[in-house]
């Protein structure tokens, strides 16, 4: 049985307490954050964390992010907290930034996928913070999707993937950012961007200067990637996604050509792009700017997939600001099938 708690209007502490009790009882609770929905469990309880991996079908060496509600909790999890961590947290927490630090012994290897480091963030969402506070536990939470599916930005997405399989889903409406947090490894010098996300790299550089970018961020994932998450196929819908990159006009022209070609071959085609593509079997107007596009990205992938199309043509955007995170997800979804025009 899964309890779905509606909390779209305002935080209801009575209901939060119900969900917090599940966390204390080593059960799973899905909850909204400002990025995507998370599938949460007590981060320091091995049995609870194992349930996350089981429910998601997640490979055991893909580590989880631990969510905290106040800065001091970082000292329960990290063995060392360098000055850069304090500066970044001061500036960007609560917010879509995850910091990788050396882990304390108390953090089980189950949570860190066997690594000596731990990923920590403070989410910028009242419900998430209330749940962490009320359960009085740091909460490990990957995105609340079955491994390999697009991340959930609506409670409906979590219901689709986990109804009947977890204890509780808190519905807080649509998530504000729509792509996951930015992951930065602070155990290397200079720090290294492991995953682009809701906080643009440019913002981080303004505060701490040089940041290296892991090669898997823009290109094909390489084997033995630093963030183990990068070596698995991610965000992939059932349909084959193809990214079309280039000048807007050229891209639009190419998409229209491709729609015709696919139709001739009786292949059902969906489009996610800025503007309307009525000729397609299904289309999702993805938005005018990078914020809108980030917010709509995963929903578009899920909806187009549900519409039963065989191919999804996706318009590429520039890889700066939130565009870096958007393109990272899109290229992965496409298995790196990219047409440049
Ligand atoms: O926005 C988010 O980050 C969402 C919400 C729920 O907070 N969570 C999320 O978790 O996206 P997940 O599990 O889907 O992605 C966690 C990422 C993975 O790429 C993983 O490899 C990386 O963080 N990661 C976690 N711990 C790490 C570590 N110790 N070293 C390197 N990478 C780590
Ligand atoms: Mg994920």
């Amino acid at each position: 049985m899964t309890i779905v708690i509606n909390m779209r209007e305002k935080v209801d502490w009575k209901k939060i307490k119900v969900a917090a009790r599940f966390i204390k009882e080593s059960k799973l609770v899905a909850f909204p954050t400002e990025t995507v929905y998370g599938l949460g469990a007590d981060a320091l309880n091995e049995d609870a964390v194992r349930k996350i991996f089981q429910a998601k079908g997640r490979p055991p060496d893909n580590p989880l992010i631990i969510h905290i509600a106040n800065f001091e909790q970082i000292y329960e999890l990290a063995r060392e907290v360098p000055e850069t961590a304090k500066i970044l947290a001061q500036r960007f927490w609560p917010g879509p930034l995850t910091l990788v630090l050396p882990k304390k012994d108390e953090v089980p290897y189950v949570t860190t996928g066997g690594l000596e480091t731990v990923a920590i963030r403070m989410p910028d969402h009242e419900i998430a913070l209330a749940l962490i506070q009320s359960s009085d536990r740091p909460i490990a939470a990957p995105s609340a999707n079955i491994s390999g599916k697009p991340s959930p930005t609506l409670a409906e997405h979590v219901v689709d993937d986990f109804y009947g399989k977890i204890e509780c889903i808190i519905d807080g409406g649509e998530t504000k950012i729509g792509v996951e947090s930015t992951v930065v490894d602070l155990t290397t010098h200079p720090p290294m961007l492991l995953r682009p996300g809701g906080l643009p790299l440019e913002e981080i550089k303004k505060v701490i200067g040089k940041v290296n970018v892991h090669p898997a961020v823009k290109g094909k994932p390489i084997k033995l990637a630093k963030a183990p998450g990068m070596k698995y196929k991610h965000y992939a819908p059932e349909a084959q996604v193809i990214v079309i990159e280039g000048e807007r006009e050229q891209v639009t022209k190419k998409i229209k050509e491709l729609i015709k070609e696919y139709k001739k071959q009786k292949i059902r085609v969906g489009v996610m792009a800025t503007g309307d593509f009525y000729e397609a079997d299904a289309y999702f107007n993805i938005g005018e700017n990078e914020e809108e596009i980030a917010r709509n990205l995963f929903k578009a992938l899920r909806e187009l997939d549900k519409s039963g199309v065989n191919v999804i043509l996706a318009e590429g955007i520039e890889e700066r600001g939130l565009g870096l995170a958007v393109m990272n997800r899109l290229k992965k979804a496409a298995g790196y099938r990219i047409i440049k025009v």
Side-chain angles (χ1 to χ4, degrees):
M1 235 263 299
T2 302
I3 299 177
V4 180
I5 300 176
N6 183 340
M7 228 181 276
R8 292 189 190 184
E9 296 301 315
K10 61 173 178 33
V11 176
D12 178 336
W13 280 90
K14 256 198 198 149
K15 291 178 179 169
I16 288 285
K17 270 196 182 150
V18 173
R21 190 169 331 119
F22 289 135
I23 296 285
K24 289 188 199 177
E25 291 169 351
S26 315
K27 289 170 180 159
L28 302 186
V29 176
F31 60 95
T33 78
E34 80 281 34
T35 57
V36 300
Y37 276 75
L39 182 60
D42 179 350
L44 303 182
N45 178 324
E46 289 190 14
D47 292 333
V49 172
R50 263 195 209 99
K51 289 181 191 164
I52 295 179
F53 284 89
Q54 235 168 24
K56 275 184 65 96
R58 185 178 176 105
D61 63 346
N62 191 0
L64 306 180
I65 294 170
I66 303 185
H67 298 68
I68 59 176
N70 66 72
F71 181 77
E72 297 308 310
Q73 275 183 298
I74 201 173
Y75 296 103
E76 295 168 26
L77 307 170
R79 188 158 39 79
E80 286 158 44
V81 181
E83 203 52 34
T84 41
K86 291 177 195 161
I87 294 168
L88 286 172
Q90 168 80 24
R91 176 72 183 75
F92 297 116
W93 279 0
L97 173 66
T98 295
L99 304 176
V100 173
L101 298 169
K103 85 168 190 74
K104 268 198 160 171
D105 291 343
E106 286 79 0
V107 180
Y109 285 113
V110 182
T111 308
T112 68
L115 297 176
E116 293 299 337
T117 53
V118 58
I120 306 169
R121 91 175 187 100
M122 193 194 296
D124 185 16
H125 197 291
E126 272 190 287
I127 293 175
L129 294 172
L131 182 66
I132 300 163
Q133 277 164 21
S134 182
S135 65
D136 199 24
R137 306 278 197 281
I139 295 184
S143 48
N145 52 284
I146 299 285
S147 254
K149 279 214 199 180
S151 292
T153 56
L154 288 165
E156 286 82 353
H157 299 159
V158 184
V159 167
D160 282 347
D161 285 10
F162 292 112
Y163 194 83
K165 294 180 191 153
I166 63 175
E167 215 62 36
C168 177
I169 298 170
I170 306 177
D171 181 351
E174 186 161 13
T175 59
K176 174 171 84 190
I177 295 179
V179 291
E180 304 91 332
S181 63
T182 303
V183 181
V184 177
D185 187 349
L186 295 181
T187 67
T188 63
H189 305 280
M192 169 111 72
L193 175 74
L194 298 180
R195 178 178 75 180
L199 180 66
L201 175 62
E202 293 88 339
E203 296 296 311
I204 298 171
K205 283 182 168 169
K206 272 186 214 159
V207 177
I208 59 165
K210 190 169 165 52
V211 176
N212 286 340
V213 175
H214 195 283
V217 166
K218 281 194 184 180
K220 245 183 154 45
I222 50 162
K223 274 197 178 142
L224 294 177
K226 182 84 194 268
M230 294 190 288
K231 74 180 193 230
Y232 301 102
K233 195 182 166 208
H234 257 162
Y235 317 111
E238 302 286 323
Q240 175 169 342
V241 178
I242 299 170
V243 177
I244 297 102
E245 276 188 322
E247 291 279 326
R248 168 71 55 80
E249 272 178 34
Q250 298 300 316
V251 170
T252 304
K253 207 174 126 211
K254 185 74 187 173
I255 291 176
K256 294 197 166 170
E257 267 172 41
L258 287 170
I259 293 172
K260 277 197 193 125
E261 264 179 53
Y262 282 122
K263 283 201 142 176
K264 255 189 236 155
Q265 298 174 48
K266 301 247 183 305
I267 292 172
R268 287 174 53 78
V269 54
V271 174
M272 47 192 283
T274 303
D276 297 333
F277 289 82
Y278 295 106
E279 313 89 334
D281 294 296
Y283 75 88
F284 196 111
N285 190 339
I286 196 76
E288 294 294 333
N289 54 52
E290 57 189 50
E291 280 81 19
E292 282 178 24
I293 294 171
R295 205 178 302 134
N296 286 328
L297 179 71
F298 290 131
K299 186 166 66 175
L301 285 170
R302 278 189 185 248
E303 282 191 13
L304 287 173
D305 218 20
K306 263 196 176 168
S307 77
V309 295
N310 311 108
V311 172
I312 296 171
L313 303 173
E315 178 179 32
I317 63 171
E318 270 192 74
E319 289 183 305
R320 59 175 155 75
L322 276 177
L324 186 63
V326 167
M327 288 309 289
N328 169 271
R329 309 312 189 264
L330 255 189
K331 286 177 180 177
K332 280 187 193 178
Y336 298 87
R337 281 176 292 260
I338 298 162
I339 297 175
K340 289 198 199 263
V341 293

